[in-house]
Amino acid sequence: MLYLICDISKNCLVNRMNLLMLICEPLLFVSVSKMKDVIILSLLGILGMGRCSKDELVNVALRGKAAQSSTSYGGTAKRAIDGIWNPTYEYLSCSHTSGETSPWWRVDLLETYQVTSVTITNRDTLAERINGAEIRIGNSLENDGNSNPRCALISSIPAGGSTTFQCHGMQGQYVNVFLRGYMQYLTLCEVEVNAHPAPIEMGPTQASELNLIVPVTDNVALKKTTRQSSQYSHMGGSNNAVDGRRLSMYKDKSCSRTKSQVNPWWRVDLQRAYNVTSITVTNIEDVDPEMIDGAEIHIGNSLQNNGNNNPLCAVISSYPAWEVMTFQCSGIEGRYVNVFLPGCNKHLSLCEVEVNVGSRPDMDEHLSSDMRVQDMKRGQDILCPDHKTRYENAATGGIANQSSQWDMFGDANNAIDLSWSNWYLEGSCSHTKAEVDPWWRVDLSKTHNVTYVTITNRGDCCSDRISGAEIHVGDSLFNNGNSNPLCARIPYIPAGQSRTFPCGGISGRYVNILLPGKEKYLTLCEVEVQASTFQAGLPSTAHKTAVTAPNRNLAWLWDLLISLGRTAIRKENLVSGGIEVHSSQYDSHGAASNATDRKRNPLYHAGSCSHTEAETNPWWRVDLLDTYQVTFVTITNRGDCCLHKINGAEIRIGNSLENNGTNNPLCAVISEMREGQPMDIPCNMEGHYVTIVLPGREKYLALCELLTLSTLTAGVA
């Protein structure tokens, strides 16, 4: 009877029998005679749903083999593919790793499939632990499969909920969930891989967003000519980073290293231009591995500013010791590959840099790196402290507050008690409750120029909770001080350790630590604010940094303008009523004018987002119809998919239409944005045109809302 109803593949039958078991599971205590009737009726109903098409998508993870980096609390890897969606850990249906550096989970699908989507069910407690995990799909087991192309970045999954991530037919045998950072726990209550049941006979795995059509070649950086901004010792030569060895200990003489300086850099000359598809970097293990956080990878044909002005491929963040990581560059063309580390008192160490390229296209298809060189010299706005000046810990004697208090041990003032104990129960750490966007603030009692903020993380547990926190400095208490200018973001701080973040002399009375997100705990075991007495003429770097905290905008900006003694006329949205154009249009839903319709709907098919076709260097531009001093640009990212596609976009403001406005001065580069969320980017620049350009080949540019805030002053046309 089964054969007559369903002459199908075993995958189809397995899926339908799984559905049958779900129906029958609640009937375990029904009498045997009734149970037989129920099973017969259910079997006929399920198998009679129609013949299974050989093209039907099925959950191919159910018959796969699971593995993970470690196992803790009995949470074996195979629990995540047991077909049970119970999010409560105690019901023994969730995987669980130990607390470790960059844990991972992997399922071997046993054959190569085209993966349409991956659905993940999160646990119902400690749900925030999955935030930032990556889904990777491919055929390689290099780096345990964690170097395969990325399908999606998990910003968050609701507690006990399931979220589906679209992978658009990415090909691979292995599906990994990879969580970057120190002392991270990875728990998965179910992973479903929806794919075509028949293996796809195709070439090497490709990430759908890259759309690469050129073959990948070997590492072309090997043994090539290199340079760096300085050399720490005879063991740290720049050529060590292209010697073909991934040894991560400095003592092995296989790592480059600069001296401690402002904006260190390293460069390899590939001898001719290539289309670079990816760059693989091996980090150092034994000497300040966290120092590489924030480094930028640039590729191009120019040696202006030692090559550091060339187009941006990627920004390295949250990069643990010894790890080998691959960054996709989407075929950017260039002869020179730079690793550039902006900041004060930085040293750059690289234990291996591998450059993977595609075959060179015809000349008329080259990316014009000369047209994409940034107008601003990299690092020119870095303000480093005068070491002849003695800086005090301005937080000493200050008054601390926080959004909530966990218990009697977690008072806000514990974080400025000059005790560096990192064990919570010793009563020297602040601690909030689990809440949305928890914050901590110290009132310095008067305005200072803040040069550095040093934070000591908790050492007894939960060190990963600090990841993603933001340091804000300013004079306003609007939004509890969380809308003040951004000093730095904290990628991670190892358990019990301290990290110092340069603020470049931002002036302010209040120093805030804000942790964006839902169900977040904020714990600080010491906060030190190194600052000097306020000097009115000292510049601030805040205007070059994107702000992401909610409910900011006009109140603190208005206070700032008044404090500068400027007569201002406030314009909330200058782009409304302007003229919008873009380089191309994807379909009828993606008109350029959608990005200024005063709607922040991040769902593309709602008709409120602009969208270009896949092309080289797509752009969007608005004509403000007059010249304004643009103080802020607010951009809302797409929320239904593809949040990473905006990464690397440049905001340019000016009066020129040369190269469609993409040659105007640079306000900021968007390194990353949250899914469906707006981001406020301070610019304080004058211009008639605001242009968003996304450098690279085969790029899509989608904007779901763009808002500009500006002041019209005397002397501005």
Side-chain angles (χ1 to χ4, degrees), residues 362-679:
D362 295 331
M363 286 299 294
D364 59 356
E365 295 181 354
H366 282 187
L367 297 181
S368 176
S369 63
D370 291 337
M371 297 172 63
R372 294 172 49 195
V373 172
Q374 298 178 7
D375 296 329
M376 296 179 57
K377 184 176 180 180
R378 293 296 305 144
Q380 68 178 15
D381 58 341
I382 295 294
L383 179 66
C384 296
D386 178 4
H387 292 288
K388 296 180 180 179
T389 304
R390 181 177 180 181
Y391 298 95
E392 60 176 316
N393 179 6
T396 303
I399 301 174
N401 287 283
Q402 58 188 357
S403 51
S404 62
Q405 185 170 325
W406 172 249
D407 61 14
M408 60 184 233
F409 294 101
D411 188 84
N413 287 290
N414 291 346
I416 52 171
D417 62 0
L418 295 180
S419 170
W420 289 268
S421 171
N422 53 55
W423 288 76
Y424 180 67
L425 293 180
E426 292 181 358
S428 187
C429 303
S430 67
H431 198 311
T432 69
K433 296 178 180 178
E435 57 185 325
V436 176
D437 301 339
W439 56 267
W440 176 97
R441 182 182 71 236
V442 60
D443 181 352
L444 305 180
S445 76
K446 62 181 180 180
T447 300
H448 289 71
N449 289 115
V450 177
T451 53
Y452 295 97
V453 173
T454 300
I455 295 178
T456 300
N457 196 16
R458 183 171 179 175
D460 51 350
C461 87
C462 323
S463 61
D464 57 299
R465 289 179 176 174
I466 194 78
S467 297
E470 302 172 354
I471 304 172
H472 293 260
V473 180
D475 288 316
S476 173
L477 281 177
F478 173 71
N479 190 24
N480 293 304
N482 297 315
S483 294
N484 281 321
L486 181 70
C487 157
R489 287 188 184 87
I490 302 171
Y492 66 89
I493 301 176
Q497 296 189 30
S498 302
R499 289 292 181 267
T500 297
F501 303 90
C503 294
I506 298 177
S507 63
R509 172 175 174 172
Y510 305 103
V511 176
N512 280 51
I513 314 296
L514 169 72
L515 184 55
K518 297 180 180 179
E519 293 297 309
K520 294 282 189 177
Y521 298 89
L522 178 61
T523 305
L524 303 166
C525 290
E526 193 67 20
V527 178
E528 303 164 71
V529 180
Q530 300 171 37
S532 59
T533 303
F534 174 64
Q535 302 173 39
L538 192 62
S540 168
T541 61
H543 67 282
K544 295 299 177 191
T545 310
V547 182
T548 57
N551 300 321
R552 49 184 54 85
N553 293 329
L554 299 176
W556 78 268
L557 174 59
W558 189 250
D559 292 340
L560 176 61
L561 293 170
I562 292 175
S563 70
L564 294 175
R566 303 177 65 176
T567 303
I569 299 174
R570 185 169 61 181
K571 294 284 186 180
E572 289 205 14
N573 188 1
L574 288 176
V575 299
S576 181
I579 301 173
E580 307 86 357
V581 293
H582 51 189
S583 51
S584 62
Q585 185 167 321
Y586 183 72
D587 61 16
S588 61
H589 295 284
S593 58
N594 291 347
T596 60
D597 61 1
R598 291 183 174 267
K599 301 175 184 177
R600 286 187 173 177
N601 192 325
L603 304 179
Y604 180 67
H605 289 290
S608 186
C609 304
S610 67
H611 199 308
T612 70
E613 296 177 345
E615 58 184 321
T616 298
N617 304 338
W619 55 267
W620 178 97
R621 184 183 73 238
V622 60
D623 180 351
L624 303 179
L625 306 180
D626 207 339
T627 300
Y628 290 89
Q629 190 75 16
V630 179
T631 311
F632 268 88
V633 174
T634 300
I635 294 176
T636 299
N637 195 15
R638 187 169 174 177
D640 47 356
C641 84
C642 326
L643 76 162
H644 60 281
K645 287 187 176 179
I646 201 168
N647 295 356
E650 302 174 356
I651 303 171
R652 294 184 175 268
I653 299 173
N655 295 318
S656 171
L657 281 178
E658 181 183 357
N659 195 22
N660 294 304
T662 62
N663 285 356
N664 280 320
L666 181 72
C667 159
V669 177
I670 301 172
S671 58
E672 61 179 351
M673 287 184 66
R674 295 181 188 171
E675 198 169 34
Q677 296 297 310
M679 173 182 280

Side-chain angles (χ1 to χ4, degrees), residues 137-153:
I137 299 172
N139 290 318
S140 172
L141 283 177
E142 180 184 356
N143 189 26
D144 294 307
N146 298 314
S147 295
N148 281 320
R150 188 169 76 178
C151 157
L153 176 69

Side-chain angles (χ1 to χ4, degrees), residues 66-190:
Q68 59 188 4
S69 51
S70 62
T71 299
S72 187
Y73 302 103
T76 58
K78 64 182 180 181
R79 288 184 178 180
I81 53 171
D82 61 3
I84 301 172
W85 297 275
N86 195 318
T88 302
Y89 189 76
E90 289 74 13
Y91 282 81
L92 309 181
S93 185
C94 303
S95 66
H96 198 309
T97 70
S98 303
E100 59 183 320
T101 298
S102 301
W104 55 266
W105 177 95
R106 182 181 71 236
V107 60
D108 179 354
L109 304 178
L110 306 181
E111 295 178 293
T112 300
Y113 288 86
Q114 277 191 323
V115 178
T116 301
S117 63
V118 175
T119 300
I120 294 181
T121 301
N122 197 12
R123 68 184 294 179
D124 54 6
T125 59
L126 302 173
E128 75 280 358
R129 286 183 173 176
I130 202 168
N131 296 356
E134 303 173 8
I135 302 172
R136 292 183 173 267
I137 299 172
N139 290 318
S140 172
L141 283 177
E142 180 184 356
N143 189 26
D144 294 307
N146 298 314
S147 295
N148 281 320
R150 188 169 76 178
C151 157
L153 176 69
I154 302 172
S155 56
S156 65
I157 298 177
S162 300
T163 299
T164 299
F165 301 89
Q166 300 300 323
C167 298
H168 307 290
M170 290 178 65
Q171 180 195 351
Q173 178 174 339
Y174 306 104
V175 176
N176 280 49
V177 181
F178 174 57
L179 183 57
R180 200 181 311 280
Y182 282 101
M183 284 302 295
Q184 300 276 25
Y185 296 86
L186 179 60
T187 303
L188 303 167
C189 291
E190 192 66 19

